[in-house]
Amino acid sequence: QVQLVESGGGLVQAGGSLRLSCVVSGNFFAINTMAYYRQAPGTQRELVAGITSGGNTNYADSVKGRFTISRDNAKNTVYLQMNSLKPEDTAVYYCNAELHHGLGSRPYWGQGTQVTVSS
């Protein structure tokens, strides 16, 4: 059984910082891409940032220069450092990981963590 456990959300004032973490555990051969998505009320879930197993990253235009995604492969953990937060960053943030099981791979999701940025 695979679990993605997220932590690090909370309430912060505009201009502040938060760091999200997501630990992957369970039975799998390897972790491919890891990513964070977010979903605000009334909107579709959107990709915030992703990182490949080799360390290549991509970001949504709205967070470029403010957010940094990283991973610790030894700890099966992905991090999202969020700086210069804005009220429009308020959303539930979901960790996503593509896990390889031998016959193929499939995505898994964390439970989500609330990030609220006050103006």
Side-chain angles (χ1 to χ4, degrees), residues 58-117:
N58 65 291
Y59 297 92
D61 288 343
S62 59
V63 307
K64 282 180 181 177
R66 300 187 298 121
F67 291 11
T68 301
I69 192 168
S70 61
R71 62 191 284 172
D72 184 333
N73 292 327
K75 296 181 179 180
N76 293 337
T77 302
V78 62
Y79 305 97
L80 185 68
Q81 178 66 42
M82 305 185 292
N83 298 328
S84 303
L85 282 160
K86 304 176 181 180
E88 50 263 44
D89 294 317
T90 296
V92 177
Y93 284 69
Y94 295 93
C95 173
N96 173 277
E98 185 179 275
L99 304 185
H100 185 59
H101 289 279
L103 294 179
S105 60
R106 58 152 288 190
Y108 290 82
W109 293 93
Q111 80 279 9
T113 186
Q114 177 70 46
V115 171
T116 302
V117 184

Side-chain angles (χ1 to χ4, degrees), residues 19 22-26 28-35 50-57 69-79 96-100:
R19 188 193 195 207
C22 174
V23 181
V24 182
S25 63
F28 52 89
F29 287 141
I31 304 175
N32 300 328
T33 301
M34 305 181 84
I51 183 167
T52 67
S53 57
N56 293 318
T57 59
I69 192 168
S70 61
R71 62 191 284 172
D72 184 333
N73 292 327
K75 296 181 179 180
N76 293 337
T77 302
V78 62
Y79 305 97
N96 173 277
E98 185 179 275
L99 304 185
H100 185 59

